[in-house]
Amino acid sequence: MGPLSLLDDSAGARCAVLGDPIGQSLSPLIHGTWMAREERVGLYHALQVLAEDLPVALAQLNEAGYTGCNLTIPHKENALSLCDELDGAARAIGAVNTVHFCEGKLHGYNTDAYGFMAALQAQLGDIPLEHVVILGAGGAARAVIYGLKKAGAKDITLLNRTATRAQALAEEFGVGYAAWENAPNVLGRATLMVNTTSLGMAGQPPLAIDVAALPAHAAVADIVYKPLMTELLKSAQARGLKVATGLGMLMHQAQAAYQIWFGARPVVDAALEQSLLEALGEPPLCG
Ligand code: ATR
């Protein structure tokens, strides 16, 4: 027995997302949609788990025969040392967002980098990755850098409010960094700019970056998805730049997690996006 109230095994395949807070998570809607489409007998639910309870919570899910779980704030980094095996992405990014319970062992994965790159491809197609500027130097930036480097991006520059943090991350991943004050210069040659900070999210301060400094052929991606069209994306779009929203990363990281657990690759489509927008209280997509 542990602290969580789990589903009994008559529910079929059981999965969960663990976090604190967790009420806002869209993962149950995403995975529930895919399970229903496949007529898979199973349930995916959200579990509130405090940081200090993660070891016992994972042990409890494993013991209870859950197929897997996703991890969100504040668990992604803490889970590293709790997994028996880690995939290369989880190791390099330093965070686990997906756990597969495999014959009593915990296999840890990170599907965020895949999610970001797949979303970029789905929304923008093959865009030039010659000069990429990444805003932020936190956990989300790590996944984005990893994904972009794997995709062949050679020139990546980190811009972060705290320059020392950007420097440390840049050295770890072998990329460049620049001081926030130099943003206009750095942005002037960017083919892609990615916001990995939470700035611009509902309830957070806006992101103080002027997209006027970007070249006309640049693309802008935001990992924030509430609101779907952040002020950053709106101003980029107003300039005629290509934009990618953050909801794609959320859906595609889930797609990879589902495939790890069940083998089948679920489809990310407009119907799924529409139901997420509805849950977020966003207006429907046009067209
Ligand atoms: P996550 O793991 O979600 O990426 P994080 O590690 O807290 O979260 O990182 C948040 C990022 O947003 C950091 O790059 C942070 O900049 P600092 O390293 O200077 O803290 C950035 N950020 C948060 N609030 C900010 C603000 N008001 N202005 C500029 N950058 C901010």
Side-chain angles (χ1 to χ4, degrees):
M1 283 296 286
L4 301 179
S5 79
L6 301 184
L7 301 169
D8 69 51
D9 55 10
S10 63
R14 291 161 296 161
C15 296
V17 57
L18 279 49
D20 178 32
I22 200 60
Q24 80 299 343
S25 175
L26 292 172
S27 294
L29 177 54
I30 300 174
H31 289 284
T33 299
W34 287 330
M35 283 179 168
R37 283 181 185 177
E38 282 188 352
E39 297 182 16
R40 181 178 295 283
V41 182
L43 282 169
Y44 181 110
H45 63 144
L47 286 168
Q48 167 112 14
V49 173
L50 300 177
E52 61 267 31
D53 291 336
L54 183 66
V56 67
L58 288 173
Q60 205 189 336
L61 293 175
N62 190 18
E63 179 84 2
Y66 271 56
T67 302
C69 66
N70 286 126
L71 301 172
T72 185
I73 293 170
H75 301 309
K76 289 186 181 187
E77 289 84 14
N78 299 341
L80 276 178
S81 62
L82 300 172
C83 291
D84 300 296
E85 313 257 352
L86 290 172
D87 81 334
R91 219 181 278 280
I93 295 166
V96 171
N97 79 327
T98 301
V99 176
H100 187 201
F101 299 107
C102 254
E103 294 164 358
K105 294 241 186 296
L106 276 69
H107 291 202
Y109 298 83
N110 191 305
T111 67
D112 287 332
Y114 165 81
F116 176 72
M117 293 310 301
L120 212 54
Q121 175 69 38
Q123 294 181 71
L124 301 180
D126 289 324
I127 53 163
L129 300 177
E130 270 102 328
H131 304 292
V132 183
V133 177
I134 296 178
L135 310 176
R142 298 177 69 90
V144 168
I145 299 169
Y146 180 82
L148 285 164
K149 280 199 78 170
K150 276 209 97 171
K154 299 263 181 310
D155 175 19
I156 298 178
T157 306
L158 308 184
L159 273 179
N160 194 50
R161 174 182 59 178
T162 310
T164 49
R165 208 169 168 209
Q167 182 179 3
L169 190 59
E171 282 168 6
E172 182 181 340
F173 280 89
V175 299
Y177 72 97
W180 198 255
E181 305 77 73
N182 288 336
N185 291 336
V186 176
L187 294 179
R189 56 200 290 268
T191 49
L192 170 68
M193 179 180 86
V194 186
N195 174 41
T196 72
T197 76
S198 52
L199 299 174
M201 188 189 293
Q204 298 285 326
L207 180 65
I209 281 285
D210 190 353
V211 297
L214 288 165
H217 58 267
V220 177
D222 203 332
I223 67 157
V224 170
Y225 58 80
K226 190 178 169 67
L228 184 70
M229 283 304 288
T230 57
E231 290 304 318
L232 175 72
L233 295 185
K234 278 191 203 162
S235 55
Q237 207 168 44
R239 261 207 62 199
L241 308 183
K242 288 185 241 153
V243 301
T245 68
L247 208 50
M249 179 177 179
L250 180 76
M251 294 188 288
H252 283 91
Q253 64 74 32
Q255 178 188 46
Y258 193 95
Q259 188 171 14
I260 287 166
W261 299 327
F262 301 119
R265 190 180 194 75
V267 179
V268 171
D269 57 14
L272 178 68
E273 185 167 7
Q274 204 68 257
S275 58
L276 294 175
L277 291 175
E278 220 166 278
L280 287 166
E282 290 273 348
L285 297 171
C286 305

